[in-house]
Amino acid sequence: MSESSFNAIGDLFFTSSCSKWDIYELYRAVRAVYKDYIKSKGRYLPPLLGDFRAALQKMSNPRAEELALSLERFVDGALNTFSKPTNIDTGNSLICYSLSGLRDQMKPIGTFITLDHLLGRVMRNYKAGKIIFVYVDEFALLFQDEDTGKFFSNLWRRIRKYNGYCTGATQNCEEVLASESGRAMLSNTDFVVMLNQSPSNAQQLSELYKITENQRTYFTNTQPGHGLMKIGGAMIPFISTVPTDTKLYRLLSTNPREGKWN
């Protein structure tokens, strides 16, 4: 786990903000629980959150005992989602992570763990000479929390260096633009597809990308399939509609009013 995500998850798991001395204690516990696993070169099962708590309890240190006690609700309590072994093969070529079912209190932790796992998978694939594609639906939700937004924008920036390609989709870019890290992420993105936007969103995107008044008409109050592409410094209007009486349209459409979801 990277240091930034380790520190952030430490703050999320524990009731009070972690000091640098707390981080040292947590690192010691991590090294203790992973020692045998690393020596086995993956033959042993990876340690769980309960093993991590047990390592803190063995330190015979008052602060370590307090940290271990803070983990109780995440190990044995109602928030024990991440204290169990996974029931999927994380080495699969295609994996879908859904955070929608998590309780609100668990969403920041779940998001950090998922994004950190993704970044680790990207780096492992890079060393193996493999390319990885990451698709994030409704990524604006990640910017509802400042820390998860910063972590995602960091992943977005770093993934390109490791033969990774990240694609984000959202219907609410206003939430992303309201975040400093989200705005910086979008401003440094070379390929952007802008479909129909509300006037307020269109205004903010126009300011960010220096879009002219005439260009803005291509993605404001337009029909489905009409929009404007930003490719590097070029702005390209497009029309990409699919006839509604085709099988392709039926496969692609997500319009609930068309009745196929009944």
Side-chain angles (χ1 to χ4, degrees):
M1 181 178 288
S2 63
E3 184 174 357
S4 60
S5 59
F6 186 90
N7 293 348
I9 291 174
D11 288 342
L12 290 167
F13 269 124
F14 303 106
T15 53
S16 58
S17 183
C18 291
S19 68
K20 66 177 182 178
W21 303 113
D22 293 336
I23 296 298
Y24 294 151
E25 295 288 352
L26 297 175
Y27 268 124
R28 287 176 58 201
V30 168
R31 286 196 297 268
V33 295
Y34 273 96
K35 184 179 178 181
D36 291 337
Y37 176 73
I38 292 173
K39 281 185 177 180
S40 75
K41 296 182 179 180
R43 292 192 302 274
Y44 294 173
L45 292 174
L48 303 176
L49 194 57
D51 302 315
F52 178 60
R53 182 184 62 171
L56 285 169
Q57 291 170 330
K58 290 178 182 178
M59 288 182 180
S60 301
N61 178 313
R63 182 52 183 159
E65 291 177 3
E66 290 177 5
L67 293 171
L69 186 61
S70 295
L71 286 173
E72 184 171 343
R73 57 182 175 156
F74 298 105
V75 176
D76 300 320
L79 304 178
N80 65 348
T81 304
F82 294 100
S83 68
K84 307 167 186 176
T86 181
N87 58 358
I88 65 167
D89 180 5
T90 56
N92 282 336
S93 298
L94 178 64
I95 302 178
C96 178
Y97 295 92
S98 175
L99 303 176
S100 60
L102 289 176
R103 299 185 182 186
D104 289 342
Q105 193 172 0
M106 291 297 294
K107 280 184 178 178
I109 296 172
T111 302
F112 270 113
I113 291 173
T114 302
L115 294 179
D116 190 76
H117 172 76
L118 281 174
L119 186 57
R121 178 73 178 269
V122 168
M123 291 180 173
R124 289 194 299 273
N125 280 9
Y126 174 71
K127 291 178 181 177
K130 298 178 181 178
I131 295 174
I132 190 168
F133 295 89
V134 178
Y135 299 91
V136 187
D137 189 26
E138 296 297 349
F139 72 92
L141 296 175
L142 300 176
F143 290 91
Q144 291 179 346
D145 179 88
E146 183 180 356
D147 290 328
T148 56
K150 286 181 179 178
F151 193 93
F152 178 68
S153 62
N154 180 56
L155 182 147
W156 185 276
R157 175 176 53 83
R158 294 182 62 190
I159 196 172
R160 292 175 293 178
K161 300 178 181 178
Y162 298 100
N163 277 345
Y165 297 87
C166 195
T167 300
T170 182
Q171 298 182 48
N172 184 16
C173 64
E174 191 171 1
E175 209 159 17
V176 182
L177 292 168
S179 163
E180 184 178 342
S181 56
R183 195 174 185 86
M185 184 189 84
L186 289 184
S187 66
N188 291 317
T189 300
D190 287 331
F191 181 73
V192 181
V193 177
M194 291 165 278
L195 297 170
N196 189 35
Q197 301 290 321
S198 67
S200 61
N201 282 354
Q203 175 64 32
Q204 292 190 66
L205 288 169
S206 297
E207 293 172 359
L208 181 68
Y209 295 131
K210 295 180 172 56
I211 296 171
T212 67
E213 191 71 30
N214 182 53
Q215 290 170 335
R216 192 194 306 183
T217 62
Y218 291 109
F219 62 98
T220 308
N221 297 322
T222 59
Q223 297 298 315
H226 295 224
L228 183 72
M229 288 188 293
K230 172 188 176 295
I231 305 176
M235 297 294 172
I236 304 173
F238 68 90
I239 297 176
S240 181
T241 56
V242 178
T244 58
D245 59 348
T246 62
K247 183 177 181 180
L248 181 61
Y249 179 85
R250 291 193 296 273
L251 290 171
L252 293 175
S253 175
T254 58
N255 188 344
R257 298 184 183 90
E258 294 174 351
K260 75 173 189 175
W261 305 106
N262 294 336

